[in-house]
Amino acid sequence: MSSLVRFSVLFGLMLVCWWALTEGDNQAWWFGVPLALIAAGLMWRVWPKSRFGFTNVLTLLPKIIGFFLWQSWRGGWDVAKRALSKNARVNPVVIDYALSLPIGWRRDIWLATIGLMPGTLAVAIEGNLAKVHVLDKALDVQPGLVAFERLLLAWR
């Protein structure tokens, strides 16, 4: 990808972030556009080219966002059911999960996001072994953990 296209995509993303943060207030563009230019310039310099694949953004990002939204909804529903139930089933356990993700941003995203999945929370990491707290040991959390890890592994 050419440097101009890469910078333009980053600038566009920063503008969208600014627009979202200001709730679409058009009076703040005089400040937002220069700030987005500076942020895009910094990202363009710092973010390695190998990690910015436009094809990956178009194909994998919607899958990751969809997975994230679905798991967030499922996690919220699970918590609501347990909170409103007279006999909430809670039988916590900490499981060991062997990570295939290399150390870096993908592993960080995995660790931060699995807490939104039903009944799970990353509590520690030792080398390639993640300690995952599971709210109820009857929950089958392994398939979700593996599926999310595979999505992130596909991102180059």
Side-chain angles (χ1 to χ4, degrees):
M1 175 183 297
S2 76
S3 295
L4 180 60
V5 172
R6 184 168 170 251
F7 180 81
S8 299
V9 170
L10 290 170
F11 177 60
L13 289 172
M14 294 303 99
L15 283 178
V16 168
C17 289
W18 177 258
W19 177 80
L21 288 171
T22 60
E23 298 174 355
D25 182 11
N26 292 331
Q27 297 175 8
W29 284 106
W30 64 270
F31 184 71
V33 170
L35 194 63
L37 278 169
I38 291 168
L42 290 172
M43 286 180 68
W44 183 77
R45 297 273 300 152
V46 174
W47 197 351
K49 291 180 184 179
S50 63
R51 290 191 184 160
F52 191 88
F54 196 66
T55 304
N56 281 335
V57 171
L58 292 178
T59 58
L60 291 173
L61 192 58
K63 290 177 184 177
I64 291 172
I65 290 171
F67 183 87
F68 173 81
L69 291 174
W70 174 245
Q71 294 300 325
S72 297
W73 183 86
R74 286 185 59 223
W77 181 256
D78 183 61
V79 168
K81 282 191 322 185
R82 290 175 194 275
L84 297 174
S85 172
K86 289 183 181 181
N87 300 322
R89 184 176 173 154
V90 177
N91 192 5
V93 66
V94 175
I95 63 169
D96 291 333
Y97 180 82
L99 283 166
S100 300
L101 290 166
I103 294 172
W105 64 275
R106 290 182 287 184
R107 181 181 284 198
D108 295 341
I109 289 172
W110 187 89
L111 290 167
T113 305
I114 65 162
L116 295 170
M117 296 171 70
T120 60
L121 179 67
V123 292
I125 187 158
E126 298 167 0
N128 286 334
L129 198 64
K131 302 279 187 185
V132 179
H133 180 272
V134 180
L135 193 58
D136 185 359
K137 65 179 168 183
L139 287 172
D140 187 16
V141 298
Q142 192 81 7
L145 299 175
V146 170
F148 190 46
E149 188 176 24
R150 285 185 182 154
L151 274 175
L152 291 171
L153 278 169
W155 193 297
R156 303 251 183 259

